[in-house]
Amino acid sequence: MKTRIDPASLVDKGLELMYLRGYNDVSIKDLVDAAGMPKGSFYNHFKSKEDFALAVIDRYAEMWHTELRTFLADKKYPARERFSRFFDHMIDTYENSTHFTRGCLAGNFSQELGDVNDVFAQHVDTVFRTAESYFIHAVRDGQREGSIDPKLDAEATGQFLLNAFEGAMVRMKSARSSRPLTAFRNLVFTTIIR
Amino acid sequence: MKTRIDPASLVDKGLELMYLRGYNDVSIKDLVDAAGMPKGSFYNHFKSKEDFALAVIDRYAEMWHTELRTFLADKKYPARERFSRFFDHMIDTYENSTHFTRGCLAGNFSQELGDVNDVFAQHVDTVFRTAESYFIHAVRDGQREGSIDPKLDAEATGQFLLNAFEGAMVRMKSARSSRPLTAFRNLVFTTIIR
DNA sequence: CCTTTCCAAGCGACCGGTCATCTTGCGTTA
DNA sequence: TAACGCAAGATGACCGGTCGCTTGGAAAGG
């Protein structure tokens, strides 16, 4: 009996594998094996490996943006506290469930493919722009309610916080330690969001 | 007559290619072709592709650390000015000679290979630690001479500045713009190094 | 001469992608 | 309700090409 194939589960497996090992180090055989699917079926659902990777990015974006909304757009807390809760949550996640690996898939793809492939660069940039908007809005909320210095340029500050956090995650991966993340948090809350 | 082969020039070519395209996307054939060297010769000088990449990292570290020394350890300037001169220099470099590609090779390798290969992670981490020390020392100098707030934890601040700058470069690659770098600079000089 | 260095040829494995063939569910017809 | 037709989906063998790496013997050096 031929089993019907669920492309979504393949994307999930792809997210798992490419999150850890990147794009070029994961073959289509790796993907279909992990999903228990025959190789030929891959191309019924995705026109190429690149096309598939774009779907993986979209899946990641969906999860990431949900997480950002949960923490940074939650009006129950003052914005300053939203940030601290979010960073604490991220530090906790990396410490306890990924042993400091993986980082951020959008950052990984930006690094691995950003300078060589325009389609990826543009796709990843869109994901970043949405993520960034959560940071920027939270900064604005904080300025409105008085928990964040109103003299800061909200847009630049939001961008800065996102990018600096991404940088801390890059470093975390080679340091195999949460130190870069905690240094980030401590600095941010003593100098930028005081 | 057989020409003698210069492994150093192969490493330079490797740096150029892997800086732009990463590790997995550059084959040994790409390397030897670019260096005008027969493929069989590769293994006279390097025992594997991984071994070669470690040499590439070392070559990059040599150049990077020289650049850092030039800008951040130059006692002619106050530390605050050393930082601003360094960041301006980096922004200028990316704007005018690389069209926002490449980023930092150590960061790239950390992203692409850091979570999957212990040898690379450790090697890259050593490079980062040395780079970090230039930041930390410059912060201390600034605190001694009064151009940087003495209440800051110099070590954490140096780490933070390096990692945040790395993050801005990740973002630069997908945004294809110097905006992340300028936002970084502006934020740093209005909130951290005031 | 012998030792060391060099390298073209080519190894098996695997790459991303194709394709001819088989299976299936469903609308149509009687 | 049963039989049929057929598009869409599923499948694994297979494509040319490239991967990282090995090797046997030629050339260079002492």
Side-chain angles (χ1 to χ4, degrees):
Chain A
M1 186 190 77
K2 305 238 177 182
T3 52
R4 219 118 237 288
I5 292 212
D6 177 17
S9 78
L10 187 65
V11 173
D12 284 338
K13 285 288 174 192
L15 174 57
E16 196 180 315
L17 289 178
M18 289 184 172
Y19 204 163
L20 188 63
R21 288 162 42 196
Y23 177 80
N24 284 307
D25 198 38
V26 173
S27 71
I28 288 164
K29 186 168 185 307
D30 290 336
L31 295 168
V32 294
D33 284 356
M37 167 190 305
K39 188 178 172 192
S41 300
F42 181 88
Y43 290 92
N44 294 333
H45 305 285
F46 305 97
K47 71 185 216 302
S48 65
K49 187 186 177 185
E50 184 170 320
D51 183 54
F52 176 77
L54 294 176
V56 167
I57 294 174
D58 288 340
R59 179 83 183 98
Y60 176 77
E62 199 182 306
M63 297 166 62
W64 190 25
H65 295 159
T66 299
E67 199 172 25
L68 288 168
R69 192 180 313 113
T70 303
F71 283 92
L72 296 185
D74 185 350
K75 309 282 188 188
K76 282 205 308 286
Y77 300 94
R80 188 182 192 280
E81 193 175 338
R82 291 183 222 162
F83 278 115
S84 73
R85 280 169 39 86
F86 173 65
F87 293 133
D88 285 346
H89 163 74
M90 295 301 291
I91 292 170
D92 185 66
T93 299
Y94 284 105
E95 273 184 341
N96 296 318
S97 65
T98 70
H99 193 58
F100 314 123
T101 56
R102 300 197 325 191
C104 165
L105 183 109
N108 297 356
F109 274 35
S110 176
Q111 283 280 45
E112 185 177 358
L113 308 159
D115 26 29
V116 94
N117 185 315
D118 291 330
V119 177
F120 272 116
Q122 216 176 315
H123 213 83
V124 167
D125 191 51
T126 304
V127 174
F128 270 132
R129 288 245 265 273
T130 303
E132 189 174 89
S133 73
Y134 285 102
F135 279 75
I136 294 171
H137 279 109
V139 171
R140 287 214 183 93
D141 287 350
Q143 292 179 318
R144 216 176 293 120
E145 74 200 17
S147 66
I148 292 175
D149 181 359
K151 285 198 298 292
L152 290 173
D153 174 340
E155 193 176 324
T157 305
Q159 282 184 21
F160 174 85
L161 288 174
L162 170 58
N163 297 342
F165 187 65
E166 289 284 327
M169 286 199 293
V170 172
R171 188 68 200 287
M172 171 192 75
K173 288 170 68 168
S174 55
R176 302 281 169 92
S177 150
S178 60
R179 189 84 211 285
L181 300 185
T182 54
F184 165 84
R185 183 194 52 198
N186 296 343
L187 247 287
V188 164
F189 288 107
T190 54
T191 59
I192 299 167
I193 309 179
R194 299 195 276 186
Chain B
M1 187 191 81
K2 306 240 174 184
T3 52
R4 223 138 231 276
I5 296 246
D6 177 17
S9 80
L10 187 65
V11 172
D12 284 338
K13 286 290 174 190
L15 173 58
E16 196 181 316
L17 290 177
M18 289 184 172
Y19 204 163
L20 187 64
R21 289 161 44 196
Y23 177 80
N24 284 307
D25 197 38
V26 173
S27 69
I28 286 162
K29 184 171 185 309
D30 291 335
L31 295 168
V32 294
D33 284 356
M37 168 190 300
K39 190 177 175 189
S41 300
F42 182 87
Y43 289 92
N44 295 333
H45 306 287
F46 304 97
K47 71 185 218 298
S48 67
K49 187 185 179 186
E50 185 170 319
D51 182 53
F52 176 77
L54 294 176
V56 167
I57 294 174
D58 288 337
R59 178 85 184 95
Y60 176 77
E62 197 182 307
M63 297 166 61
W64 190 25
H65 294 160
T66 299
E67 200 171 25
L68 288 168
R69 193 180 313 115
T70 302
F71 282 93
L72 297 186
D74 184 350
K75 308 283 186 184
K76 282 206 306 286
Y77 300 93
R80 188 182 192 279
E81 194 175 338
R82 290 181 223 163
F83 278 116
S84 72
R85 279 168 42 85
F86 173 67
F87 293 134
D88 286 346
H89 163 74
M90 294 302 290
I91 292 171
D92 185 67
T93 299
Y94 284 106
E95 272 184 342
N96 295 317
S97 65
T98 70
H99 193 58
F100 314 125
T101 55
R102 302 197 322 189
C104 166
L105 183 112
N108 297 357
F109 274 36
S110 177
Q111 283 282 43
E112 185 177 357
L113 308 160
D115 26 28
V116 94
N117 185 315
D118 291 330
V119 177
F120 273 115
Q122 214 177 315
H123 213 84
V124 167
D125 190 51
T126 303
V127 174
F128 270 132
R129 287 246 265 275
T130 303
E132 189 173 271
S133 73
Y134 285 102
F135 280 75
I136 295 171
H137 279 108
V139 170
R140 286 215 184 95
D141 287 350
Q143 291 179 317
R144 217 174 294 121
E145 73 200 17
S147 65
I148 293 174
D149 182 357
K151 285 199 295 293
L152 291 172
D153 175 339
E155 192 176 326
T157 305
Q159 282 185 19
F160 174 86
L161 288 173
L162 169 60
N163 297 342
F165 187 65
E166 289 285 325
M169 287 199 293
V170 173
R171 188 70 200 286
M172 171 192 74
K173 288 170 69 168
S174 57
R176 300 282 168 96
S177 150
S178 60
R179 189 83 210 287
L181 300 186
T182 55
F184 165 83
R185 184 194 51 197
N186 296 342
L187 246 287
V188 164
F189 287 106
T190 56
T191 59
I192 299 167
I193 309 182
R194 302 198 273 189

